[in-house]
Amino acid sequence: MARPRTPLLDRERIAATALQLVEEQGEFSVPQIARALGVQTGSVYHHVDGRAGVVELVRELVCDRIAGETLDLEPWDRALEAWARSYRAAFAASPQVIPLLMTTPVRAPRVLAQYERAVAMLLAAGFARGRVMPLLTALENLVLGSALDLAAPEAMWEPSPDTPLLAQALTAVGPGRADAAFDLGLAAFLTYARTLRGEPA
């Protein structure tokens, strides 16, 4: 029998199928991926290192949406802001993956390479080595929390007659609550980060 021109299975198809399952049901299993692709479960394992390997493929697929070239912008705070906005947009498109990806260690080479780039940028900007990972982690917390917020209902609070001040505050903010909150948080983060730059190593 002639071999098919297009392989039935490859890492890209596995990643895309796993991501689709996570977006639909918040989780995936390797047998589910196999069924969706019309292959045996064992065939999937020929291409990935177990379930953890699939998680890393999904991580790379989502993180490939982040514009890594933003880290080359100058000055450093412009680069960090642009990277954060791109990062948020990437995960806002698939917020269901956040709990999955944020509870497993990052091993995907392309994702690690992007963090290496971010670390190099902050070091070159004059940040002390001990400040770099707390800064990146804090920024990631802000970004991912906001990506989840974008997936939430616009009206997250339902004021009662006993909470008139809350009702007034919600009315005052208008539409785009999640965007306004992210802009505020990012501005505050960058303002504080500027105070840390140039500290002794």
Side-chain angles (χ1 to χ4, degrees):
M1 181 183 294
R3 298 179 67 180
R5 290 179 180 273
T6 303
L8 293 175
L9 197 59
D10 57 34
R11 291 165 65 86
E12 290 73 22
R13 284 185 173 84
I14 292 169
T17 302
L19 178 57
Q20 182 178 351
L21 288 168
V22 173
E23 289 175 341
E24 291 172 355
Q25 60 191 33
E27 191 46 275
F28 75 88
S29 70
V30 176
Q32 285 178 319
I33 293 171
R35 283 195 297 273
L37 291 171
V39 299
Q40 296 296 316
T41 299
S43 299
V44 177
Y45 286 117
H46 286 306
H47 294 268
V48 296
D49 183 18
R51 186 179 187 280
V54 179
V55 171
E56 291 309 289
L57 290 181
V58 171
R59 191 190 307 278
E60 284 198 330
L61 188 60
V62 175
C63 290
D64 280 348
R65 303 170 182 167
I66 303 172
E69 66 274 11
T70 55
L71 292 169
D72 296 329
L73 296 173
E74 292 183 359
W76 67 270
D77 49 356
R78 180 180 169 221
L80 210 55
E81 178 177 358
W83 188 61
R85 292 187 182 281
S86 180
Y87 195 148
R88 177 183 183 240
F91 277 85
S94 302
Q96 301 87 349
V97 305
I98 294 175
L100 175 71
L101 299 184
M102 295 307 110
T103 54
T104 58
V106 180
R107 299 187 181 95
R110 293 201 301 272
V111 180
L112 289 173
Q114 194 163 146
Y115 277 94
E116 180 77 1
R117 201 169 172 180
V119 169
M121 183 269 292
L122 290 174
L123 290 174
F127 285 92
R129 198 172 304 275
R131 288 291 193 182
V132 170
M133 289 314 299
L135 277 169
L136 289 177
T137 303
L139 182 60
E140 185 174 72
N141 291 344
L142 172 63
V143 164
L144 295 176
S146 183
L148 285 172
D149 196 18
L150 281 172
E154 177 68 24
M156 277 297 293
W157 296 266
E158 295 183 359
S160 71
D162 296 327
T163 57
L165 297 179
L166 174 61
Q168 293 166 16
L170 289 170
T171 300
V173 76
R177 172 191 57 78
D179 288 333
F182 178 67
D183 289 343
L184 177 67
L186 185 57
F189 169 86
L190 291 170
T191 297
Y192 180 66
R194 291 182 190 106
T195 70
L196 303 179
R197 185 170 172 240
E199 285 185 336

